[in-house]
Amino acid sequence: MATLITAATSVLALSVPIATTATAADRPAFYEPPAALPAHNGDVIRSEQAVFYLDPLKALKVDASVDRIMYRTTDRLGKPIAVTGTVLTPRNVNLSPRPIVAFAPGTQGLADKCAPSLQIAQGTEYEGLPIKKLLDQGFAVVVTDYQGLGTPGVHTYMNREVQGHAVLDSLRAAQRLQGAHLPAGGPVALYGYSQGGGAAASAAELAPTYAPELKIKGAVVGAPPADMGQMAAGLDGSAYGVFFNYALSGLGAGYGIDIDAYLNSHGKRVTHDLRDNLCTTQALTKYPFLHSRFLAVGLRPLTGLLDRAPWNAIVADQQLGKRRPAVPVLLSHSTLDDVIPQRVGKQLAADWCRLGATVKFSSNHIPGHIAATIATGKEGIPWLQDRFADKPASSTC
């Protein structure tokens, strides 16, 4: 789901021109995976120097060492895949050992041009400000592109397991990146809001078995989409209706289902436009209040699929809260969230508490999903500083 920052709205409006999804013929060479992948998850396949701008006019350049990377991770079935991302190290603050924060991006869109590693360099990344605030503390930051953003295939949006893998392996890749001078066994943390909150939560749940060697000090989880079954009906036809279409496309891609079979001709045009051409802000502007009923064969809401096989099992597989994070978690969620109801975040906190996790649930009253990301950052950054300082974490369990 979106993680738009109010202060960055003007930047979003200047997003990059519409372009079609890259194919093998026109995809930038950096984003084309090699035929053979390295042996271990988190291994760096290639890297190149990049830049970080806060605006599309490229007037505000962030003082950091920036490397675009491609690294190995695994998909939902454990198959090795290549994804891309960005490693950023601040130049103006020197901490030793330097902590690394895995920043899990919020909803970028499905088109290849929406990959954060591209948008960071173009000055169109709407989460540029929270990334910079982490850098300002002296933290290194690694931002994954997830599966299928920039690289071949449809972005597996909202696939819990592969998103968690991509986040954890981004930390491994940052530690192994030659020339980054980041400690291989140093302290790390997880941070994300909305889709990113779900990805950070998934990474926290998967870390004990998938990446037990990482010294994760804590996870900041903002407005996590922890239970899709409770969210779908509210999203469909709302101002954020494109997100339901994203989810259907992403889950279909992750589970080998072509959703075109459910779509009428108009639905196919809209869906392929979202996949090929539009990043989040453009999509929300072009298709406000998108209702799946008008996209579907038979003009019946596609939300009805989620109650039937195989979709009911797919949705259940994405639910968070069934596995205990082994690290402290700050879970921030607004009572006035208009995309992901706060009850979803509250339930995740309660589920984790029942499993014995250390969880601080922090409620705020900032109106709207977009603006409430500010509250997550305002509380989350000092909370991370305390975790890196090995201070005890409080719990609301």
Side-chain angles (χ1 to χ4, degrees):
M1 312 307 163
T3 317
L4 312 181
I5 308 297
T6 302
T9 302
S10 60
V11 172
L12 284 163
L14 296 171
S15 193
V16 291
I18 291 175
T20 57
T21 299
T23 64
D26 61 13
R27 180 180 296 111
F30 186 89
Y31 291 85
E32 192 66 33
L37 299 182
H40 303 104
N41 292 326
D43 282 351
V44 177
I45 298 167
R46 63 174 69 111
S47 67
E48 64 181 14
Q49 289 187 338
V51 290
F52 178 16
Y53 290 105
L54 290 175
D55 68 301
L57 299 179
K58 299 183 178 179
L60 302 173
K61 185 179 180 181
V62 176
D63 186 20
S65 174
V66 183
D67 291 279
R68 184 177 291 125
I69 59 171
M70 176 180 280
Y71 63 97
R72 172 184 150 146
T73 185
T74 55
D75 68 6
R76 181 183 64 86
L77 299 175
K79 176 185 175 182
I81 57 172
V83 301
T84 47
T86 308
V87 177
L88 308 102
T89 307
R91 293 194 179 101
N92 57 347
V93 182
N94 188 20
L95 300 180
S96 183
R98 190 184 295 280
I100 308 172
V101 177
F103 188 97
T107 299
Q108 306 290 307
L110 299 182
D112 281 342
K113 70 169 188 175
C114 307
S117 63
L118 289 171
Q119 298 208 73
I120 284 170
Q122 293 164 345
T124 56
E125 175 49 62
Y126 68 77
E127 292 188 296
L129 290 179
I131 292 170
K132 181 182 181 298
K133 287 180 180 178
L134 290 166
L135 292 171
D136 288 344
Q137 313 311 309
F139 306 154
V141 179
V142 58
V143 186
T144 183
D145 289 341
Y146 302 124
Q147 181 183 17
L149 274 181
T151 49
V154 176
H155 170 39
T156 50
Y157 182 74
M158 296 304 296
N159 280 238
R160 171 189 60 80
E161 196 164 6
V162 69
Q163 290 182 165
H165 291 168
V167 171
L168 293 169
D169 286 323
S170 75
L171 286 166
R172 288 167 160 163
Q175 292 176 337
R176 297 172 193 174
L177 179 62
Q178 291 186 0
H181 307 297
L182 297 174
V188 300
L190 311 169
Y191 185 109
Y193 185 87
S194 197
Q195 179 194 5
S202 173
E205 291 186 343
L206 295 171
T209 54
Y210 187 80
E213 83 284 1
L214 291 176
K215 295 178 181 176
I216 303 174
K217 296 295 186 177
V220 175
V221 173
D227 187 341
M228 290 185 60
Q230 291 195 48
M231 296 163 46
L235 278 178
D236 196 23
S238 75
Y240 302 92
V242 294
F243 295 159
F244 176 71
N245 188 285
Y246 284 177
L248 208 62
S249 289
L251 292 176
Y255 286 78
I257 299 173
D258 183 0
I259 70 165
D260 277 9
Y262 303 102
L263 303 175
N264 58 30
S265 58
H266 173 62
K268 290 175 185 177
R269 283 194 300 271
V270 170
T271 297
H272 287 272
D273 193 22
L274 292 173
R275 289 184 191 175
D276 296 345
N277 301 319
L278 306 176
C279 297
T280 293
T281 307
Q282 298 164 332
L284 291 172
T285 302
K286 187 172 182 179
Y287 298 110
F289 306 103
L290 185 66
H291 201 300
S292 68
R293 177 165 64 90
F294 300 110
L295 309 180
V297 173
L299 298 180
R300 284 181 287 225
L302 292 171
T303 51
L305 292 174
L306 306 187
D307 297 324
R308 306 194 300 270
W311 293 95
N312 54 354
I314 292 172
V315 169
D317 194 30
Q318 312 319 312
Q319 188 166 346
L320 297 163
K322 298 178 180 179
R323 306 151 196 88
R324 182 179 70 87
V327 299
V329 179
L330 169 66
L331 201 163
S332 171
H333 209 146
S334 172
T335 59
L336 302 175
D337 194 315
D338 56 347
V339 176
I340 303 171
Q342 194 200 53
R343 67 178 183 275
V344 174
K346 264 190 167 180
Q347 185 60 55
L348 176 59
D351 290 340
W352 278 343
C353 285
R354 271 195 297 273
L355 293 172
T358 300
V359 184
K360 179 182 179 182
F361 180 79
S362 181
S363 180
N364 65 77
H365 306 288
I366 295 179
H369 185 73
I370 291 171
T373 185
I374 297 171
T376 297
K378 185 176 181 180
E379 185 176 9
I381 288 176
W383 188 87
L384 283 179
Q385 289 173 322
D386 286 346
R387 301 292 75 73
F388 288 134
D390 291 324
K391 294 181 180 179
S394 61
S395 177
T396 55
C397 292

